[in-house]
Amino acid sequence: MTSKVLSQSSYSIHAADLAKHLLGHILVHRSDEGVTAGIIVETEAYSQEDAASHSYRGETPRNSVMFGPAGHAYVYFTYGMHYCFNVVSGQAGHGQAVLLRALQPVEGIDLMRQRRKQDKEKQLCSGPAKLVQAMGITKQDYGKPLFDPGSGLYIRQGTAPAEIAVGPRIGISQAQDVQWRFWIADSAFVSR
DNA sequence: CTCTGGATTGAC
DNA sequence: TCAATCCAGAGG
């Protein structure tokens, strides 16, 4: 099977553009437990000028990778119990990233079921913290290059969706009017 | 050092 | 509708 990986340059665009562009591509993770993969079906963009972004108040130890070169993983811990996974976008020096909110499972589905303690396929990756758990992503993956299959965590080229839907981001208290959430219009695997 | 709130989830 | 659960970031 062919498995073309997205090049680093394809990530060097604005977060809002990358958020749309990532839909239809495939996130892959290889671990000791096995391989898991899923089609990206829902994303959100976060950028430095945006009050809802972690990068809004400048670079800190937690968000530093957002200010580095594009195509790397930004993993953060939140609510005292969950991790979320982002793809760094844009140019180095400008803090921005795309949050992956939902995947359509395509490989390692039984492993996802074990990790999630959940049988229903639509419940495996239908949320930012759910997909991190199902894919076996941890804080150890912080900073990993997603354009390099050797890192074990990468994005494979998929198929662009027929129709993309747009709406406000979820769970934020700032900039609630900004329409920076994108999802594949007819997907049954989105969150919420 | 203390305090506040969070890019969530699942149970009630 | 709400608790769980703990850390990052801001302010003193």
Side-chain angles (χ1 to χ4, degrees):
Chain A
M1 66 182 238
T2 62
S3 64
K4 203 172 193 176
V5 170
L6 294 194
S7 66
Q8 182 169 22
S9 62
S10 58
Y11 295 102
S12 303
I13 55 178
H14 190 273
D17 295 319
L18 182 62
K20 278 177 277 190
H21 179 68
L22 285 178
L23 296 174
H25 294 305
I26 302 160
L27 179 67
V28 184
H29 185 221
R30 298 181 184 283
S31 78
D32 294 339
E33 300 177 300
V35 178
T36 47
I39 301 169
I40 298 168
V41 299
E42 183 181 351
T43 59
E44 282 181 359
Y46 288 89
S47 189
Q48 198 167 348
E49 308 71 30
D50 161 29
S53 175
H54 289 168
S55 57
Y56 184 60
R57 293 165 202 286
E59 187 172 347
T60 66
R62 177 174 67 155
N63 68 21
S64 65
V65 73
M66 289 181 80
F67 290 80
H72 293 260
Y74 170 40
V75 179
Y76 69 87
F77 183 66
T78 190
Y79 288 108
M81 62 188 84
H82 299 300
Y83 287 91
C84 292
F85 171 78
N86 297 248
V87 178
V88 175
S89 60
Q91 301 300 126
H94 190 248
Q96 48 172 279
V98 173
L99 171 72
L100 298 199
R101 287 196 60 87
L103 305 176
Q104 175 179 339
V106 293
E107 194 174 342
I109 297 178
D110 282 334
L111 178 53
M112 291 184 182
R113 288 194 172 103
Q114 285 178 232
R115 286 169 171 163
R116 292 268 303 122
K117 305 187 195 309
Q118 164 69 253
D119 286 339
K120 297 173 187 159
E121 209 165 312
K122 288 175 185 168
Q123 290 300 316
L124 294 176
C125 300
S126 55
K130 293 182 186 179
L131 72 88
V132 161
Q133 186 181 28
M135 294 290 291
I137 293 169
T138 70
K139 60 186 176 228
Q140 303 301 319
D141 295 305
Y142 184 98
K144 289 241 178 98
L146 302 170
F147 47 85
D148 175 13
S151 72
L153 182 63
Y154 56 98
I155 297 177
R156 188 198 302 159
Q157 193 162 88
T159 308
E163 194 186 340
I164 294 175
V166 181
R169 293 169 293 181
I170 294 178
I172 54 171
S173 60
Q174 301 293 313
Q176 295 177 335
D177 54 320
V178 177
Q179 308 277 295
W180 273 2
R181 181 163 60 102
F182 306 93
W183 66 97
I184 296 180
D186 60 356
S187 176
F189 295 88
V190 296
S191 68
R192 194 161 176 269

